[in-house]
Amino acid sequence: MAAAGGRRRRWLLWAAVVAHAVASGAGFVEDLDESFKENRKDDIWLVDFYAPWCGHCKKLEPVWNEVGIEMKNMGSPVKVGKMDATSFSSIASEFGVRGYPTIKLLKGDLAYNYRGPRTKDDIIEFANRVAGPLIRPLPSQHMFEHVQKRHRVLFVYVGGESPLKEKYIEVASELIVYTYFFSASEDVLPEYVTLPELPAVVVFKDGTYFVYDEYEDGDLSSWINRERFQGYLNVDGFTLYELGDTGKMLLKTIIQEVARDYRDHFHRDFQFGHMDGNDYINSLLME
């Protein structure tokens, strides 16, 4: 009985220590000050710029501590920090902080804004994507299949060096905050894929694929920004905000079968999706 009581006390003590670490983020989230500006360039940083009085910042704090713990445990090269933007306003302003909380990944001279849902998994996904290579090579069919299973939307550059590849890299540096970018040789692609010419940029989604056509689709950046969504979406406030940049009209009342069966006719101009009525109203009020 005494031994069992001792084990229980040790377990409770351990649980309390873990709970405290999660709550405080001790050792996993660094408090940043004015020295950060000069010291940051040798590392990749994921930073929460906050204000002490901000309610949304307080709500994010326990999530941010979980992000710090998980990034540390997975051995990520990304360091997680937080900065009181009201105490170090000049630094925050230099990084383009306009509201609170603002989440940025800082990589060399580049600063990437995070605009997605404030959940641990979404923030970590963003950090791992942006911190990694700009263009990820797919050296084999096995690797292509593996990546295709993980991503509902997949952009792939196919071919050698070309002006199109240079443009693809340029677009990737801008839009990697939203999606992954890959490259592959033609023999790595599935057998059902037919490319009219090389080089090419292809998007795989909705069980099919679409090839970028400069004449039909216009600017590559605009095309990728439109095509980074699945054909039929469950639209929340964050997605609704992002769709505003695509130029597409969102049809909320079209049934899913139309979105699937008539994709070729409508996909350049319309985005199909549905959303909860309360989300829609709240998003409009935020705007």
Side-chain angles (χ1 to χ4, degrees):
M1 291 290 290
R7 284 195 299 271
R8 177 174 173 78
R9 283 192 296 273
R10 286 194 296 272
W11 183 88
L12 289 173
L13 178 61
W14 175 83
V17 170
V18 171
H20 175 73
V22 172
S24 65
F28 302 101
V29 176
E30 295 192 35
D31 276 304
L32 306 175
D33 56 27
E34 63 275 352
S35 64
F36 175 69
K37 182 180 174 182
E38 297 301 324
N39 298 335
R40 74 173 185 83
K41 292 191 176 181
D42 292 334
D43 297 297
I44 302 173
W45 281 91
L46 183 67
V47 181
D48 167 29
F49 293 91
Y50 70 94
W53 43 260
C54 166
H56 292 295
C57 301
K58 292 175 182 177
K59 188 175 180 180
L60 176 63
E61 185 175 3
V63 176
W64 199 250
N65 291 336
E66 290 179 5
V67 169
I69 291 170
E70 186 147 334
M71 296 293 279
K72 186 76 171 180
N73 289 342
M74 68 173 59
S76 171
V78 179
K79 293 187 174 183
V80 181
K82 61 181 180 179
M83 175 176 285
D84 182 346
T86 61
S87 296
F88 306 103
S89 56
S90 61
I91 298 176
S93 179
E94 217 171 297
F95 285 120
V97 175
R98 299 288 181 268
Y100 312 116
T102 291
I103 296 171
K104 288 179 178 282
L105 186 131
L106 307 174
K107 184 180 180 183
D109 293 326
L110 300 174
Y112 295 92
N113 288 328
Y114 176 70
R115 295 173 179 166
R118 290 169 188 156
T119 67
K120 180 193 71 173
D121 291 341
D122 285 305
I123 294 170
I124 289 174
E125 171 75 8
F126 162 81
N128 288 336
R129 180 172 65 250
V130 179
L134 200 58
I135 310 294
R136 290 167 162 84
L138 299 174
S140 66
Q141 290 183 350
H142 175 75
M143 181 61 72
F144 181 92
E145 292 166 2
H146 172 73
V147 169
Q148 193 173 26
K149 288 176 182 177
R150 290 192 59 200
H151 301 283
R152 295 176 179 177
V153 179
L154 187 67
F155 289 99
V156 183
Y157 173 83
V158 186
E161 298 300 321
S162 69
L164 180 61
K165 184 175 183 179
E166 292 176 10
K167 182 63 177 177
Y168 184 73
I169 293 171
E170 180 185 326
V171 173
S173 68
E174 174 191 356
L175 297 182
I176 196 170
V177 294
Y178 300 119
T179 190
Y180 288 89
F181 292 86
F182 298 90
S183 65
S185 59
E186 192 173 15
D187 59 354
V188 166
L189 303 181
E191 292 183 2
Y192 63 80
V193 176
T194 302
L195 301 179
E197 61 180 1
L198 292 179
V201 177
V202 189
V203 60
F204 294 85
K205 63 178 181 177
D206 303 328
T208 186
Y209 70 95
F210 302 94
V211 182
Y212 168 67
D213 183 320
E214 186 177 6
Y215 178 77
E216 292 285 341
D217 299 314
D219 179 67
L220 179 62
S221 178
S222 298
W223 179 77
I224 290 177
N225 199 35
R226 292 194 303 270
E227 295 295 339
R228 63 187 175 89
F229 300 97
Q230 290 179 273
Y232 188 76
L233 296 171
N234 179 13
V235 182
D236 57 20
F238 292 100
T239 311
L240 183 64
Y241 177 82
E242 291 179 17
L243 285 169
D245 295 331
T246 67
K248 288 186 178 182
M249 295 178 65
L250 175 65
L251 299 182
K252 297 182 291 298
T253 58
I254 300 297
I255 58 174
Q256 189 170 3
E257 286 75 11
V258 173
R260 182 190 65 224
D261 297 341
Y262 295 91
R263 174 73 165 72
D264 290 342
H265 297 284
F266 300 125
H267 82 278
R268 285 191 175 92
D269 300 306
F270 295 101
Q271 176 66 55
F272 297 95
H274 70 280
M275 69 185 303
D276 177 84
N278 291 329
D279 272 349
Y280 181 61
I281 292 170
N282 290 336
S283 297
L284 290 179
L285 291 175
M286 283 195 298
E287 289 298 317

